[in-house]
Amino acid sequence: MSMKYVDEYRDADLAKRISGEIAKLSADQSFKLMEVCGGHTHTIYKHGIEDVLPRNIDLVHGPGCPVCVLPMGRIDDAIAIARMDGMIFTTFGDMMRVPGSRGSLLDAKADGADVRFVYSPLDALKLARQHPDRQVVFFAIGFETTAPSTAITLLRAQAEGVKNFSVFCNHVTIIPAIKAILDSPDLRLDGFIGPGHVSMVIGMRPYNFVAREHHKPVVIAGFEPLDIIQSVYMIVKQISEGRAEIENQYSRVVRPEGNLKALEAMARTMELRPFFEWRGLGFITHSALKLRSEFADWDAELLYKVPGLRVADPKACQCGEVLKGVIKPWECKVFGTACTPETPIGTCMVSPEGACAAYFNYGRFSMATERTSLNIFPTAR
């Protein structure tokens, strides 16, 4: 599919034609496909893709929202650092409202902590230069998509000798999470819509095990509506032909080898943790990154004492099941009532990439007639 402009990626007539081809290929068989990335989930419900696809194609949502998978205990650790005297604590904006066991970073800010949201870790490093008498910590989160920017910032801090800057590292890696999902008895999937931005960094090779060991197709997809619809077509075509391969629909951005410069920067500054807790998935081995010992002077986990406790999610919250694709957001008991974007109970309702937030903002208009008839999701008034 050769396209140049955004409008071409949102051609409704072409979307319907591709959907018709999907219907022919699937021959009324039911397929359950997981979109791993939260950005894909957002696109699916913002643009009503679920309504365009044949009803026998079921899209389920995976753990591809880095804000959503962070366990509550790590939020509490971040808040503990932010409340320290003389601290400037920096983070991306969507982390400000994520609830810990005793409030959020926004609550800490309201109580007097100096919490600032930034657009880049380089902004945090700039603050450290501007305030040499204060400590500045950057709350580093995200998959391999955002880890390179943290790595570059660490290299710059080291080169410049900026010692009042440090990183609270919570970067996670996508492949172990996919392995955990494939090994889970709760869910049986027919294929994966692979994450586009992560794949831009890591390339295609890390997904080979999905096809080789589990015989499931993976199609790396872009983020426009036709990107996702074409990716579904490519997955269904593979299944109909008895193939299980790793294909790249997002070839205008993703290269087979990934971004070698970004991978090199990550390798110089970070290494795998032995294990890390994921919300909904539990502890997964080698699924997150920590700073290498050479960067101990910039490692907030070593510089500051934090609670480091495991904190259970609120009993009413079912983010864990949503993140594993076991239930849809609107099947959660508190979705849209006690838990809304204004009063979130779980992380999936906070981040714009969270499945619950996507459903709340756009999903109410998707398949609304069917849901109303089932008394599951009330139509917006």
Side-chain angles (χ1 to χ4, degrees):
M1 188 182 296
S2 178
M3 297 184 177
K4 293 165 59 180
Y5 306 109
V6 170
D7 287 349
E8 294 176 283
Y9 292 90
R10 302 179 181 184
D11 186 321
D13 291 334
L14 183 54
K16 291 175 183 177
R17 290 207 302 272
I18 299 174
S19 181
E21 294 299 317
I22 294 171
K24 292 176 185 177
L25 283 173
S26 58
D28 296 326
Q29 298 179 66
S30 294
F31 294 111
K32 184 172 285 190
L33 312 178
M34 174 174 280
E35 84 273 1
V36 178
C37 181
H40 287 152
T41 303
H42 184 87
T43 298
I44 286 166
Y45 291 99
K46 180 177 181 179
H47 296 278
I49 291 174
E50 190 179 50
D51 295 347
V52 176
L53 292 172
R55 289 292 182 265
N56 57 320
I57 304 297
D58 183 21
L59 299 180
V60 297
H61 322 302
C65 166
V67 173
C68 305
V69 301
L70 205 61
M72 192 172 287
R74 299 294 286 188
I75 305 298
D76 285 354
D77 291 346
I79 293 171
I81 296 173
R83 290 183 182 276
M84 293 179 180
D85 291 339
M87 180 65 66
I88 300 176
F89 193 84
T90 63
T91 182
F92 295 136
D94 51 1
M95 290 304 302
M96 295 287 284
R97 297 174 57 248
V98 177
S101 62
R102 297 181 180 178
S104 65
L105 284 167
L106 196 62
D107 294 325
K109 181 178 177 67
D111 291 340
D114 192 350
V115 181
R116 309 184 191 188
F117 79 84
V118 293
Y119 293 103
S120 163
L122 289 171
D123 293 338
L125 182 60
K126 182 178 179 180
L127 281 172
R129 293 194 205 99
Q130 294 171 343
H131 301 276
D133 57 329
R134 300 181 64 183
Q135 295 295 317
V136 178
V137 173
F138 174 67
F139 191 5
I141 68 153
F143 288 93
E144 293 93 337
T145 311
T146 54
S149 62
T150 302
I152 293 297
T153 304
L154 283 166
L155 290 169
R156 186 170 295 184
Q158 184 188 56
E160 297 178 2
V162 182
K163 292 297 184 71
N164 65 320
F165 169 79
S166 59
V167 169
F168 181 43
C169 187
N170 290 270
H171 287 298
V172 289
T173 57
I174 196 64
I175 298 301
I178 294 176
K179 287 181 179 178
I181 288 168
L182 286 166
D183 292 337
S184 172
D186 297 335
L187 195 61
R188 289 291 177 264
L189 299 169
D190 297 295
F192 289 89
I193 299 173
H197 291 152
V198 166
S199 303
M200 175 183 65
V201 175
I202 67 173
M204 298 174 62
R205 187 179 301 172
Y207 303 103
N208 285 344
F209 80 97
V210 181
R212 183 180 63 249
E213 299 174 16
H214 298 274
H215 311 291
K216 309 290 184 187
V218 177
V219 175
I220 297 165
F223 294 88
E224 290 297 328
L226 283 179
D227 286 328
I228 294 174
I229 294 171
Q230 185 187 27
S231 299
V232 172
Y233 169 80
M234 293 167 70
I235 293 172
V236 174
K237 190 172 189 291
Q238 283 198 48
I239 296 172
S240 69
E241 295 174 352
R243 296 185 291 120
E245 300 173 6
I246 313 304
E247 293 184 325
N248 182 14
Q249 185 275 338
Y250 202 26
S251 58
R252 65 186 185 273
V253 171
V254 175
R255 299 291 177 263
E257 69 279 8
N259 187 321
L260 299 180
K261 290 290 186 182
L263 292 170
E264 178 188 0
M266 290 167 59
R268 288 176 61 187
T269 57
M270 303 176 196
E271 61 186 0
L272 289 171
R273 295 176 183 267
F275 54 85
F276 192 77
E277 184 185 2
W278 290 55
R279 190 181 296 244
L281 297 175
F283 286 93
I284 304 176
T285 57
H286 300 140
S287 65
L289 300 171
K290 65 177 182 177
L291 302 195
R292 289 188 174 277
S293 58
E294 301 93 305
F295 289 86
D297 290 344
W298 294 273
D299 190 343
E301 284 188 84
L302 300 178
L303 296 173
Y304 306 107
K305 187 176 180 179
V306 296
L309 300 176
R310 188 181 185 189
V311 180
D313 288 338
K315 291 183 178 180
C317 176
Q318 293 180 272
C319 272
E321 290 91 333
V322 172
L323 288 167
K324 290 190 292 185
V326 175
I327 66 171
K328 296 293 180 74
W330 46 266
E331 294 175 305
C332 176
K333 298 172 184 176
V334 294
F335 174 79
T337 53
C339 185
T340 69
E342 294 301 318
T343 57
I345 293 176
T347 54
C348 296
M349 190 62 89
V350 178
S351 172
E353 291 189 358
C356 294
Y359 261 83
F360 188 91
N361 291 324
Y362 305 110
R364 68 183 69 201
F365 306 112
S366 175
M367 298 174 68
T369 303
E370 294 180 22
R371 288 178 186 160
T372 301
S373 66
L374 293 172
N375 293 318
I376 293 174
F377 194 95
T379 305
R381 297 180 183 277

